[in-house]
Amino acid sequence: EFGWDPANWLYTLQEWTFEWYGWFTVPLVPLWHFVGANDTGFAFACLWWLNFPDSGPGGKCDKGFYTKWLPVRAKHVSFTLFLWTCIWLLGSVGLGRPLSEGWRFVFLVSCFIRVGFSLAWIFIANFNHSHMWNEFLAGDPERTWPMLHAFMAFALGGRHRWNEMLFHDVHHMCPGRIGAMSQRGRFHGWQKVHDACVEILSNGLWKS
């Protein structure tokens, strides 16, 4: 697409699913998400930190690293640590337990957060970028499946979110300018975004 995408490692385990042997690694996808490899995980954040910003000329450190990026990251980590400290205190002092017992509640919250985000990102990232789903989309540029639209809109919490999956091929045509379909749907209405995407598909995603 356009340069390095940190989410690429989310698709590695499913990349060969157009071959029968590619499905052997698919069961590992939930575990990969659970350890924090998705957009809301710590492993993903570490990947970003190790690769962004790009090095300056001659491999030198980016000139804005110490003045811009490092302070922002320090603030983020400090705020995150503060939130987890609150959870620790809720699980200890808040429940009338010794302070040393707070880890139990932290562990419980962390597990449920990881499970929830894993389920969400498997659907949004892995399923959305799968060969199977994109082949399915390519078979009907008009997106004429009313029953599927109604069910998925209900399951995802609105048609604006369903547009995100329904027209993800359009998003990847020019992700920087188009942005998230769901966000556009919130401001402009799902129908307008839906119709605009269908029009783009009718003209063709790529033109020579």
Side-chain angles (χ1 to χ4, degrees):
E1 197 176 300
F2 303 99
W4 173 73
D5 184 353
N8 281 339
W9 71 354
L10 288 175
Y11 316 130
T12 302
L13 295 172
Q14 68 181 55
E15 184 58 33
W16 313 109
T17 49
F18 49 82
E19 300 286 354
W20 65 270
Y21 53 79
W23 291 92
F24 286 123
T25 56
V26 171
L28 298 174
V29 170
L31 178 63
W32 189 220
H33 280 277
F34 190 83
V35 299
N38 53 55
D39 294 49
T40 46
F42 183 66
F44 194 90
C46 289
L47 178 67
W48 258 112
W49 295 344
L50 291 171
N51 289 276
F52 184 86
D54 295 328
S55 301
K60 295 181 180 179
C61 182
D62 181 84
K63 62 181 181 180
F65 181 76
Y66 290 104
T67 57
K68 180 181 180 181
W69 299 111
L70 187 60
V72 169
R73 291 173 184 177
K75 290 177 183 178
H76 169 76
V77 172
S78 298
F79 182 67
T80 303
L81 183 61
F82 166 74
L83 293 178
W84 282 111
T85 302
C86 292
I87 294 171
W88 184 292
L89 292 174
L90 282 172
S92 55
V93 179
L95 296 177
R97 296 175 180 174
L99 189 63
S100 60
E101 294 291 315
W103 69 269
R104 297 177 184 273
F105 192 54
V106 168
F107 180 78
L108 188 66
V109 171
S110 179
C111 282
F112 277 99
I113 286 174
R114 291 169 186 270
V115 169
F117 277 126
S118 295
L119 291 174
W121 283 113
I122 285 172
F123 199 68
I124 296 170
N126 294 93
F127 181 79
N128 211 16
H129 293 86
S130 66
H131 296 290
M132 180 178 61
W133 176 242
N134 282 277
E135 288 171 3
F136 181 65
L137 291 179
D140 185 6
E142 298 293 327
R143 306 298 195 257
T144 53
W145 316 298
M147 294 295 291
L148 179 65
H149 297 336
F151 175 77
M152 292 306 298
F154 174 78
L156 296 175
R159 289 183 180 268
H160 63 292
R161 291 179 179 171
W162 174 230
N163 278 344
E164 189 73 49
M165 296 192 63
L166 197 59
F167 299 105
H168 208 65
D169 47 356
V170 178
H171 161 78
H172 277 285
M173 178 190 70
C174 192
R177 291 189 177 185
I178 293 177
M181 299 294 180
S182 56
Q183 283 294 94
R184 285 187 172 273
R186 291 188 181 190
F187 292 102
H188 304 289
W190 74 269
Q191 186 71 61
K192 190 173 182 179
V193 174
H194 179 282
D195 294 344
C197 288
V198 169
E199 184 178 351
I200 290 173
L201 287 170
S202 66
N203 292 323
L205 290 178
W206 310 104
K207 286 190 175 183
S208 58

PDB file of all heavy atoms in Angstrom, residues 35-54:
ATOM      1  N   VAL A  35      -2.017 -11.327  23.425  1.00  0.00           N
ATOM      2  CA  VAL A  35      -0.754 -10.824  23.989  1.00  0.00           C
ATOM      3  C   VAL A  35      -0.522  -9.358  23.655  1.00  0.00           C
ATOM      4  O   VAL A  35       0.499  -8.783  24.051  1.00  0.00           O
ATOM      5  CB  VAL A  35       0.449 -11.667  23.516  1.00  0.00           C
ATOM      6  CG1 VAL A  35       0.313 -13.101  23.968  1.00  0.00           C
ATOM      7  CG2 VAL A  35       0.625 -11.589  22.007  1.00  0.00           C
ATOM      8  N   GLY A  36      -1.444  -8.738  22.913  1.00  0.00           N
ATOM      9  CA  GLY A  36      -1.360  -7.296  22.680  1.00  0.00           C
ATOM     10  C   GLY A  36      -0.825  -6.874  21.335  1.00  0.00           C
ATOM     11  O   GLY A  36      -0.259  -5.786  21.200  1.00  0.00           O
ATOM     12  N   ALA A  37      -1.029  -7.718  20.307  1.00  0.00           N
ATOM     13  CA  ALA A  37      -0.485  -7.391  18.985  1.00  0.00           C
ATOM     14  C   ALA A  37      -1.395  -6.502  18.160  1.00  0.00           C
ATOM     15  O   ALA A  37      -1.046  -6.128  17.047  1.00  0.00           O
ATOM     16  CB  ALA A  37      -0.201  -8.680  18.215  1.00  0.00           C
ATOM     17  N   ASN A  38      -2.568  -6.153  18.680  1.00  0.00           N
ATOM     18  CA  ASN A  38      -3.498  -5.310  17.918  1.00  0.00           C
ATOM     19  C   ASN A  38      -3.335  -3.836  18.265  1.00  0.00           C
ATOM     20  O   ASN A  38      -2.510  -3.470  19.103  1.00  0.00           O
ATOM     21  CB  ASN A  38      -4.944  -5.763  18.150  1.00  0.00           C
ATOM     22  CG  ASN A  38      -5.289  -5.847  19.620  1.00  0.00           C
ATOM     23  OD1 ASN A  38      -5.140  -4.882  20.346  1.00  0.00           O
ATOM     24  ND2 ASN A  38      -5.738  -7.012  20.071  1.00  0.00           N
ATOM     25  N   ASP A  39      -4.149  -3.005  17.639  1.00  0.00           N
ATOM     26  CA  ASP A  39      -4.011  -1.543  17.749  1.00  0.00           C
ATOM     27  C   ASP A  39      -4.132  -1.012  19.170  1.00  0.00           C
ATOM     28  O   ASP A  39      -3.665   0.089  19.464  1.00  0.00           O
ATOM     29  CB  ASP A  39      -5.067  -0.855  16.879  1.00  0.00           C
ATOM     30  CG  ASP A  39      -4.840  -1.119  15.403  1.00  0.00           C
ATOM     31  OD1 ASP A  39      -4.645  -2.298  15.037  1.00  0.00           O
ATOM     32  OD2 ASP A  39      -4.868  -0.167  14.605  1.00  0.00           O
ATOM     33  N   THR A  40      -4.786  -1.752  20.056  1.00  0.00           N
ATOM     34  CA  THR A  40      -4.959  -1.294  21.433  1.00  0.00           C
ATOM     35  C   THR A  40      -4.089  -2.079  22.408  1.00  0.00           C
ATOM     36  O   THR A  40      -4.292  -2.000  23.619  1.00  0.00           O
ATOM     37  CB  THR A  40      -6.438  -1.416  21.851  1.00  0.00           C
ATOM     38  OG1 THR A  40      -6.943  -2.702  21.462  1.00  0.00           O
ATOM     39  CG2 THR A  40      -7.290  -0.343  21.185  1.00  0.00           C
ATOM     40  N   GLY A  41      -3.118  -2.818  21.883  1.00  0.00           N
ATOM     41  CA  GLY A  41      -2.254  -3.632  22.733  1.00  0.00           C
ATOM     42  C   GLY A  41      -0.889  -3.022  22.967  1.00  0.00           C
ATOM     43  O   GLY A  41      -0.404  -2.191  22.189  1.00  0.00           O
ATOM     44  N   PHE A  42      -0.245  -3.462  24.044  1.00  0.00           N
ATOM     45  CA  PHE A  42       1.062  -2.917  24.401  1.00  0.00           C
ATOM     46  C   PHE A  42       2.147  -3.379  23.431  1.00  0.00           C
ATOM     47  O   PHE A  42       3.068  -2.625  23.112  1.00  0.00           O
ATOM     48  CB  PHE A  42       1.435  -3.339  25.826  1.00  0.00           C
ATOM     49  CG  PHE A  42       2.741  -2.763  26.294  1.00  0.00           C
ATOM     50  CD1 PHE A  42       2.879  -1.388  26.487  1.00  0.00           C
ATOM     51  CD2 PHE A  42       3.845  -3.574  26.536  1.00  0.00           C
ATOM     52  CE1 PHE A  42       4.081  -0.841  26.913  1.00  0.00           C
ATOM     53  CE2 PHE A  42       5.052  -3.036  26.958  1.00  0.00           C
ATOM     54  CZ  PHE A  42       5.169  -1.671  27.144  1.00  0.00           C
ATOM     55  N   ALA A  43       2.045  -4.628  22.940  1.00  0.00           N
ATOM     56  CA  ALA A  43       3.037  -5.119  21.980  1.00  0.00           C
ATOM     57  C   ALA A  43       3.003  -4.275  20.703  1.00  0.00           C
ATOM     58  O   ALA A  43       4.038  -3.980  20.108  1.00  0.00           O
ATOM     59  CB  ALA A  43       2.770  -6.587  21.647  1.00  0.00           C
ATOM     60  N   PHE A  44       1.794  -3.873  20.311  1.00  0.00           N
ATOM     61  CA  PHE A  44       1.621  -3.028  19.133  1.00  0.00           C
ATOM     62  C   PHE A  44       2.258  -1.656  19.368  1.00  0.00           C
ATOM     63  O   PHE A  44       2.902  -1.089  18.482  1.00  0.00           O
ATOM     64  CB  PHE A  44       0.135  -2.877  18.838  1.00  0.00           C
ATOM     65  CG  PHE A  44      -0.187  -2.314  17.479  1.00  0.00           C
ATOM     66  CD1 PHE A  44      -0.352  -3.156  16.389  1.00  0.00           C
ATOM     67  CD2 PHE A  44      -0.354  -0.950  17.298  1.00  0.00           C
ATOM     68  CE1 PHE A  44      -0.662  -2.647  15.137  1.00  0.00           C
ATOM     69  CE2 PHE A  44      -0.663  -0.435  16.049  1.00  0.00           C
ATOM     70  CZ  PHE A  44      -0.816  -1.288  14.964  1.00  0.00           C
ATOM     71  N   ALA A  45       2.074  -1.123  20.574  1.00  0.00           N
ATOM     72  CA  ALA A  45       2.674   0.168  20.919  1.00  0.00           C
ATOM     73  C   ALA A  45       4.201   0.085  20.860  1.00  0.00           C
ATOM     74  O   ALA A  45       4.867   0.995  20.351  1.00  0.00           O
ATOM     75  CB  ALA A  45       2.218   0.609  22.310  1.00  0.00           C
ATOM     76  N   CYS A  46       4.747  -1.019  21.357  1.00  0.00           N
ATOM     77  CA  CYS A  46       6.207  -1.193  21.319  1.00  0.00           C
ATOM     78  C   CYS A  46       6.709  -1.256  19.881  1.00  0.00           C
ATOM     79  O   CYS A  46       7.768  -0.699  19.565  1.00  0.00           O
ATOM     80  CB  CYS A  46       6.595  -2.470  22.062  1.00  0.00           C
ATOM     81  SG  CYS A  46       6.396  -2.360  23.853  1.00  0.00           S
ATOM     82  N   LEU A  47       5.940  -1.930  19.018  1.00  0.00           N
ATOM     83  CA  LEU A  47       6.314  -1.991  17.603  1.00  0.00           C
ATOM     84  C   LEU A  47       6.358  -0.594  16.999  1.00  0.00           C
ATOM     85  O   LEU A  47       7.281  -0.252  16.256  1.00  0.00           O
ATOM     86  CB  LEU A  47       5.311  -2.866  16.847  1.00  0.00           C
ATOM     87  CG  LEU A  47       5.548  -2.995  15.341  1.00  0.00           C
ATOM     88  CD1 LEU A  47       6.834  -3.771  15.061  1.00  0.00           C
ATOM     89  CD2 LEU A  47       4.367  -3.688  14.661  1.00  0.00           C
ATOM     90  N   TRP A  48       5.362   0.227  17.330  1.00  0.00           N
ATOM     91  CA  TRP A  48       5.328   1.613  16.853  1.00  0.00           C
ATOM     92  C   TRP A  48       6.553   2.374  17.355  1.00  0.00           C
ATOM     93  O   TRP A  48       7.229   3.079  16.604  1.00  0.00           O
ATOM     94  CB  TRP A  48       4.062   2.303  17.344  1.00  0.00           C
ATOM     95  CG  TRP A  48       2.991   2.424  16.316  1.00  0.00           C
ATOM     96  CD1 TRP A  48       1.783   1.785  16.292  1.00  0.00           C
ATOM     97  CD2 TRP A  48       3.009   3.249  15.139  1.00  0.00           C
ATOM     98  NE1 TRP A  48       1.055   2.157  15.183  1.00  0.00           N
ATOM     99  CE2 TRP A  48       1.790   3.051  14.454  1.00  0.00           C
ATOM    100  CE3 TRP A  48       3.947   4.126  14.594  1.00  0.00           C
ATOM    101  CZ2 TRP A  48       1.469   3.702  13.269  1.00  0.00           C
ATOM    102  CZ3 TRP A  48       3.632   4.771  13.405  1.00  0.00           C
ATOM    103  CH2 TRP A  48       2.404   4.561  12.763  1.00  0.00           C
ATOM    104  N   TRP A  49       6.814   2.248  18.638  1.00  0.00           N
ATOM    105  CA  TRP A  49       7.915   2.994  19.237  1.00  0.00           C
ATOM    106  C   TRP A  49       9.260   2.627  18.623  1.00  0.00           C
ATOM    107  O   TRP A  49      10.166   3.457  18.530  1.00  0.00           O
ATOM    108  CB  TRP A  49       7.945   2.768  20.745  1.00  0.00           C
ATOM    109  CG  TRP A  49       6.737   3.328  21.436  1.00  0.00           C
ATOM    110  CD1 TRP A  49       5.850   4.228  20.919  1.00  0.00           C
ATOM    111  CD2 TRP A  49       6.282   3.022  22.749  1.00  0.00           C
ATOM    112  NE1 TRP A  49       4.867   4.512  21.830  1.00  0.00           N
ATOM    113  CE2 TRP A  49       5.098   3.773  22.971  1.00  0.00           C
ATOM    114  CE3 TRP A  49       6.734   2.178  23.760  1.00  0.00           C
ATOM    115  CZ2 TRP A  49       4.386   3.718  24.152  1.00  0.00           C
ATOM    116  CZ3 TRP A  49       6.015   2.120  24.951  1.00  0.00           C
ATOM    117  CH2 TRP A  49       4.861   2.890  25.133  1.00  0.00           C
ATOM    118  N   LEU A  50       9.403   1.358  18.233  1.00  0.00           N
ATOM    119  CA  LEU A  50      10.672   0.900  17.668  1.00  0.00           C
ATOM    120  C   LEU A  50      10.838   1.284  16.192  1.00  0.00           C
ATOM    121  O   LEU A  50      11.953   1.210  15.656  1.00  0.00           O
ATOM    122  CB  LEU A  50      10.785  -0.625  17.809  1.00  0.00           C
ATOM    123  CG  LEU A  50      10.948  -1.153  19.233  1.00  0.00           C
ATOM    124  CD1 LEU A  50      10.825  -2.674  19.249  1.00  0.00           C
ATOM    125  CD2 LEU A  50      12.277  -0.717  19.829  1.00  0.00           C
ATOM    126  N   ASN A  51       9.754   1.671  15.543  1.00  0.00           N
ATOM    127  CA  ASN A  51       9.815   1.949  14.106  1.00  0.00           C
ATOM    128  C   ASN A  51       9.432   3.366  13.709  1.00  0.00           C
ATOM    129  O   ASN A  51       9.569   3.736  12.534  1.00  0.00           O
ATOM    130  CB  ASN A  51       8.898   0.977  13.351  1.00  0.00           C
ATOM    131  CG  ASN A  51       9.435  -0.428  13.346  1.00  0.00           C
ATOM    132  OD1 ASN A  51      10.260  -0.794  12.525  1.00  0.00           O
ATOM    133  ND2 ASN A  51       8.966  -1.237  14.295  1.00  0.00           N
ATOM    134  N   PHE A  52       8.943   4.152  14.662  1.00  0.00           N
ATOM    135  CA  PHE A  52       8.489   5.508  14.338  1.00  0.00           C
ATOM    136  C   PHE A  52       8.989   6.479  15.394  1.00  0.00           C
ATOM    137  O   PHE A  52       8.960   6.163  16.582  1.00  0.00           O
ATOM    138  CB  PHE A  52       6.957   5.543  14.284  1.00  0.00           C
ATOM    139  CG  PHE A  52       6.408   6.880  13.869  1.00  0.00           C
ATOM    140  CD1 PHE A  52       6.263   7.202  12.531  1.00  0.00           C
ATOM    141  CD2 PHE A  52       6.051   7.826  14.830  1.00  0.00           C
ATOM    142  CE1 PHE A  52       5.764   8.442  12.150  1.00  0.00           C
ATOM    143  CE2 PHE A  52       5.565   9.061  14.463  1.00  0.00           C
ATOM    144  CZ  PHE A  52       5.417   9.370  13.120  1.00  0.00           C
ATOM    145  N   PRO A  53       9.454   7.653  15.017  1.00  0.00           N
ATOM    146  CA  PRO A  53       9.565   8.167  13.646  1.00  0.00           C
ATOM    147  C   PRO A  53      10.759   7.576  12.901  1.00  0.00           C
ATOM    148  O   PRO A  53      11.649   6.989  13.518  1.00  0.00           O
ATOM    149  CB  PRO A  53       9.742   9.672  13.865  1.00  0.00           C
ATOM    150  CG  PRO A  53      10.431   9.769  15.186  1.00  0.00           C
ATOM    151  CD  PRO A  53       9.858   8.647  16.022  1.00  0.00           C
ATOM    152  N   ASP A  54      10.746   7.735  11.591  1.00  0.00           N
ATOM    153  CA  ASP A  54      11.841   7.230  10.775  1.00  0.00           C
ATOM    154  C   ASP A  54      13.144   7.955  11.118  1.00  0.00           C
ATOM    155  O   ASP A  54      13.130   9.094  11.585  1.00  0.00           O
ATOM    156  CB  ASP A  54      11.546   7.419   9.282  1.00  0.00           C
ATOM    157  CG  ASP A  54      10.364   6.586   8.824  1.00  0.00           C
ATOM    158  OD1 ASP A  54      10.172   5.489   9.384  1.00  0.00           O
ATOM    159  OD2 ASP A  54       9.631   7.041   7.927  1.00  0.00           O
TER     160      ASP A  54
END
